[in-house]
Amino acid sequence: MDLGLKNRVYVVTGATRGLGRASAQALLAEGAQVLITGREEKSVAEAVAELGPGAAGLAADNADPATPGRLIAEARSRFGGFDGILISVGGPAPGFAADNTDEEWASAFDTVFLGAVRMARAAAETLTEGGVIGFVLSGSVHEPIPGLTISNGLRPGLAGFAKSLAGDLGPRGIRVVGLLPSRIDTDRVRSLDALSGDADAARAANESRIPLRRYGTPEEFGNTAAFLLSPAASYLTGVMLPVDGGARHGF
């Protein structure tokens, strides 16, 4: 199946590792051109070198109000166009309600929430028919995850924003989609398992509650993201797609 991604131009934030990196790799494999971002110039340069032809990078902080304009301008300058964006950021600090400080909440709000809103608004201003805005969110949109209180507070709000944006941009032919990963085998998830004091036991317990009985791979997530961002998914908008091996039991 041809996803129709050849020579299309995407920005993928937070793509030096994890789910953003896997998504960028999948887009590139289908012939897209991708501008990736990360906070550190060194990690961005290393990721671009490893991703190979079709990839470019720019060190940027999602919390900086100037970042969205810089990224879109850079994509147009490097590749001659801009067809979509996947907004992915590292997860906020773990902790329970009594643990997280005001500073942690404020930092996460600026990066995870407000930074994503700014990015999406900037993309919406310049995208044309056929463009797409994607959000990497979390299974916590539907069900809180113990020990991730800040994420539980912010991700559902972003999903609500994304759904509102889908309604606003639909008449212009611009799609808005969300991906809701759960237990994907990334450094972030492995570190969360380790917080229990027995990472192997935590993983086994989590896998026992997943119908497919295993964690997902970053490649599986990336392939799903590439499809949702592609013209092959042209009639999907406003959808919040769980990528969780069936862990969410509701409809």
Side-chain angles (χ1 to χ4, degrees), residues 112-146:
V112 174
F113 192 93
L114 188 54
V117 168
R118 288 195 193 104
M119 206 81 67
R121 288 191 314 215
E125 288 177 1
T126 187
L127 286 170
T128 57
E129 185 173 359
V132 60
I133 298 169
F135 294 84
V136 178
L137 300 173
S138 167
S140 63
V141 164
H142 293 300
E143 185 174 354
I145 300 172

Side-chain angles (χ1 to χ4, degrees), residues 184-197:
I184 308 294
D185 193 13
T186 61
D187 291 342
R188 163 78 169 173
V189 168
R190 288 191 289 272
S191 70
L192 293 174
D193 285 345
L195 291 176
S196 69

Side-chain angles (χ1 to χ4, degrees), residues 182-194 196 198-221 243-245 247:
S182 185
R183 309 309 289 194
I184 308 294
D185 193 13
T186 61
D187 291 342
R188 163 78 169 173
V189 168
R190 288 191 289 272
S191 70
L192 293 174
D193 285 345
S196 69
D198 188 336
D200 291 339
R203 179 166 180 149
N206 286 321
E207 288 179 330
S208 72
R209 293 188 288 269
I210 299 171
L212 289 181
R213 294 299 190 270
R214 64 177 179 85
Y215 282 9
T217 68
E219 292 76 17
E220 287 173 318
F221 179 90
V243 188
D244 64 2

Side-chain angles (χ1 to χ4, degrees), residues 232-249:
S234 57
Y235 202 56
L236 294 179
T237 193
V239 64
M240 298 292 120
L241 180 66
V243 188
D244 64 2
R248 180 172 184 251
H249 296 147

Side-chain angles (χ1 to χ4, degrees), residues 31-47:
Q33 297 171 302
V34 182
L35 177 71
I36 69 165
T37 78
R39 291 187 181 184
E40 299 178 2
E41 290 186 8
K42 181 181 178 182
S43 61
V44 170
E46 290 173 348

